[in-house]
Amino acid sequence: MAPPRLRAEYENTVRSVISFNAPQTAELPLVSRDGGERIVRWERTYTYDNDGSIDEVISIGIDVTEEREVEERLRLSEERFRSVFVNASNGVILLEPHTTPEGEMDFTILDINDEAMRLCSVTKGEVAGKSFEECLPCLRKMEAFESLSRAARDGKSTTLPTFQCQSLGSETVVEVNVFKAARNVVVTLKDITKQQQNEQRLVDQSHALEEKNDELERFIYCTSHDLKSPLTSLRGMVNLFKEDYGETFDEDAWYYLERIEANTSRMERLITSLLKLSRIDRSPEPHEAVPVADAINEAIHRCRREHGDDNVIEMASAMPVVTYVRSQLVEVFEQLIGNALTYVGEDTTLTVRIDHGRDDGMHVFSVSDNGVGIAPEHTEKIFKVFERLHGKDVPGSGIGLFLAQRIVKSRGGAIWVESERGVGSTFYFTVPVMEEDRRGI
């Protein structure tokens, strides 16, 4: 049954077929018994009487619904492909491989999109249906033909070396890829000029930044080194004043001298820290196998000389051997242990505990204490240079934790703290596990 909207057209077409006024075939939709719409192709044929005249006109209907649906899907697919092909941001060249009469492989250009024409400085009329090697001189110098043959023969995708399109009026850098698609070979061309320019700009900026950092480190090193001499002279002068005129000083004079000595000592610590900071990336010491237990013991010994022996410092029995600059590993532990010994709560017997573990290819070291702790909002602030939570009344340069962080990060690790005010802190830092690392005894 014909759909109501097409009934009149259907009747006219059938009437025309019967009256010989229409082509021998016509296609119209029909409504099937289940209510669905089907496409039927009507074909006209004849029967003849004994004298050869047409006796009857027979119309045969053939259901071509699936055939037309397949054709429609193919049409839409071709439209989508065509749209992608034409509007692609990369250049695309579609090639058909074939064998020449001499038995050699060659490639005919089936199609080329606008971007490929721009990059190769050709028009479609100049290249369509012609040989690849003849029409695209910009690719002729490369290994393009060998790669095309390999792709056609083995289906192997290839990325070719970049080339420069001098014909565009500037040195446009193009990346070329070759791959097989069904029976054809596809060449894609990607303009990576801006990408390479940006990469080069980043490299140049990185080099400039490295030079600036080197200049800054040299300045810090020279300045810190030069400042040590007048400080030494100042300390010597103070000692001479005390020896020669100490008996004549009143209480105020002694107070002023003590303040000079205290500030001189603070300045010396600051200069020493700055010198250590400037040497992190300039250290002449090699990376070597360092038994961590030895580094910790050396750091504890240094801290004992400054803070005394009143506090408990414990170390896990098993410590590894790591690949590190020995003096810098000692420095990290010295700063973390010294930080714990500096911030002791009132009426508290401080206990410092040093442990080790492993996590995801990293050694993880921890230095825990039961000191005053750090408020959560300050756990990142303490790693900034010259940031002091307790003012100048507490000894220190304000660089110690920043120095430890710089060392740890420069060696591929991370450092952080977990703390609770009034309970204590645990500082963690990581060291990459190297192949040559082994567990200590």
Side-chain angles (χ1 to χ4, degrees):
M1 184 174 68
R5 72 180 191 282
L6 299 174
R7 191 164 293 163
E9 180 183 350
Y10 190 90
E11 290 175 354
N12 290 335
T13 300
V14 172
R15 197 175 293 117
S16 297
V17 169
I18 293 173
S19 63
F20 307 102
N21 293 325
Q24 286 189 311
T25 62
E27 289 185 6
L28 288 171
L30 275 180
V31 177
S32 62
R33 292 178 180 177
D34 60 6
E37 195 169 289
R38 311 292 293 178
I39 299 175
V40 177
R41 181 173 72 238
W42 294 98
E43 297 182 354
R44 187 175 65 200
T45 188
Y46 311 96
T47 62
Y48 300 89
D49 56 19
N50 292 333
D51 60 4
S53 301
I54 295 176
D55 183 33
E56 291 178 313
V57 178
I58 301 174
S59 185
I60 301 173
I62 302 173
D63 188 342
V64 293
T65 306
E66 285 77 10
E67 182 180 341
R68 295 298 170 262
E69 287 175 350
V70 169
E71 289 175 352
E72 179 63 13
R73 286 197 294 271
L74 284 173
R75 185 187 68 79
L76 292 174
S77 176
E78 288 175 0
E79 283 185 1
R80 285 193 294 269
F81 167 78
R82 193 72 200 163
S83 177
V84 171
F85 179 84
V86 171
N87 299 304
S89 59
N90 294 344
V92 184
I93 306 172
L94 186 62
L95 304 174
E96 181 181 41
H98 61 87
T99 304
T100 65
E102 293 77 18
E104 297 179 354
M105 182 170 284
D106 197 3
F107 296 88
T108 301
I109 299 174
L110 298 179
D111 209 345
I112 181 170
N113 72 352
D114 292 345
E115 178 65 3
M117 287 188 283
R118 181 186 75 85
L119 293 174
C120 295
S121 299
V122 296
T123 65
K124 186 173 292 189
E126 292 173 339
V127 299
K130 298 179 182 177
S131 169
F132 172 79
E133 273 203 304
E134 293 176 5
C135 300
L136 299 176
C138 60
L139 298 175
R140 193 179 301 154
K141 298 177 183 178
M142 304 168 56
E143 305 143 8
F145 195 82
E146 291 77 6
S147 298
L148 291 173
S149 301
R150 193 160 51 247
R153 184 178 61 253
D154 306 327
K156 187 174 181 179
S157 301
T158 307
T159 299
L160 301 179
T162 58
F163 73 95
Q164 294 179 327
C165 289
Q166 302 285 353
S167 57
L168 292 179
S170 62
E171 293 188 351
T172 303
V173 184
V174 180
E175 181 182 82
V176 184
N177 287 279
V178 176
F179 61 92
K180 189 173 184 180
R183 291 184 299 239
N184 298 319
V185 174
V186 177
V187 178
T188 63
L189 310 173
K190 182 179 180 181
D191 186 344
I192 60 170
T193 309
K194 289 184 178 179
Q195 176 185 329
Q196 286 210 341
Q197 289 172 347
N198 290 336
E199 289 174 355
Q200 186 59 48
R201 192 176 297 115
L202 285 175
V203 170
D204 293 342
Q205 289 174 349
S206 177
H207 288 162
L209 184 60
E210 286 178 3
E211 289 177 1
K212 293 292 184 185
N213 285 337
D214 287 342
E215 289 176 8
L216 181 59
E217 288 180 356
R218 285 194 296 269
F219 172 76
I220 292 174
Y221 177 81
C222 293
T223 304
S224 301
H225 191 272
D226 291 345
L227 284 173
K228 269 196 163 185
S229 180
L231 278 179
T232 303
S233 298
L234 180 60
R235 185 178 290 280
M237 293 292 290
V238 169
N239 289 332
L240 287 174
F241 262 100
K242 288 163 66 176
E243 291 175 6
D244 295 344
Y245 304 103
E247 294 179 357
T248 65
F249 287 165
D250 59 15
E251 187 175 336
D252 287 342
W254 280 109
Y255 171 77
Y256 295 142
L257 280 177
E258 287 171 359
R259 293 301 299 167
I260 292 173
E261 286 185 312
N263 283 305
T264 302
S265 296
R266 183 170 178 272
M267 181 63 77
E268 284 178 336
R269 287 195 297 269
L270 179 59
I271 290 173
T272 299
S273 296
L274 286 172
L275 281 170
K276 290 177 180 177
L277 192 60
S278 70
R279 291 170 179 158
I280 290 176
D281 296 319
R282 299 156 61 90
S283 174
E285 297 180 59
H287 284 69
E288 57 182 317
V290 181
V292 176
D294 292 351
I296 293 173
N297 284 326
E298 185 175 340
I300 291 173
H301 178 69
R302 293 183 186 179
C303 291
R304 292 286 193 204
R305 284 188 304 182
E306 183 175 352
H307 297 277
D309 300 327
D310 298 335
N311 302 296
V312 178
I313 303 177
E314 301 173 346
M315 177 175 58
S317 58
M319 283 290 171
V321 172
V322 300
T323 302
Y324 224 78
V325 176
R326 180 187 178 86
S327 63
Q328 293 184 355
L329 185 61
V330 173
E331 187 68 42
V332 172
F333 280 112
E334 182 182 354
Q335 294 298 338
L336 297 182
I337 297 169
N339 186 77
L341 297 176
T342 299
Y343 299 102
V344 184
E346 295 182 6
D347 302 324
T348 301
T349 300
L350 185 72
T351 300
V352 179
R353 172 76 185 177
I354 306 160
D355 283 302
H356 165 260
R358 284 200 186 193
D359 182 40
D360 195 23
M362 304 290 280
H363 294 289
V364 182
F365 298 98
S366 63
V367 179
S368 305
D369 65 66
N370 61 336
V372 296
I374 304 165
E377 62 268 22
H378 294 148
T379 54
E380 292 185 10
K381 181 180 179 181
I382 59 172
F383 290 105
K384 295 180 180 178
V385 66
F386 299 131
E387 289 288 351
R388 298 168 60 84
L389 303 183
H390 301 276
K392 297 181 180 179
D393 295 333
V394 178
S397 63
I399 298 180
L401 292 177
F402 176 74
L403 175 61
Q405 182 189 58
R406 279 287 306 274
I407 292 172
V408 170
K409 285 188 173 182
S410 71
R411 304 307 171 207
I415 186 169
W416 68 97
V417 62
E418 295 176 0
S419 183
E420 184 177 347
R421 187 72 175 166
V423 176
S425 305
T426 301
F427 284 83
Y428 298 90
F429 75 94
T430 59
V431 175
V433 176
M434 303 296 182
E435 288 296 325
E436 58 269 28
D437 291 349
R438 56 182 175 82
R439 295 291 298 186
I441 298 176

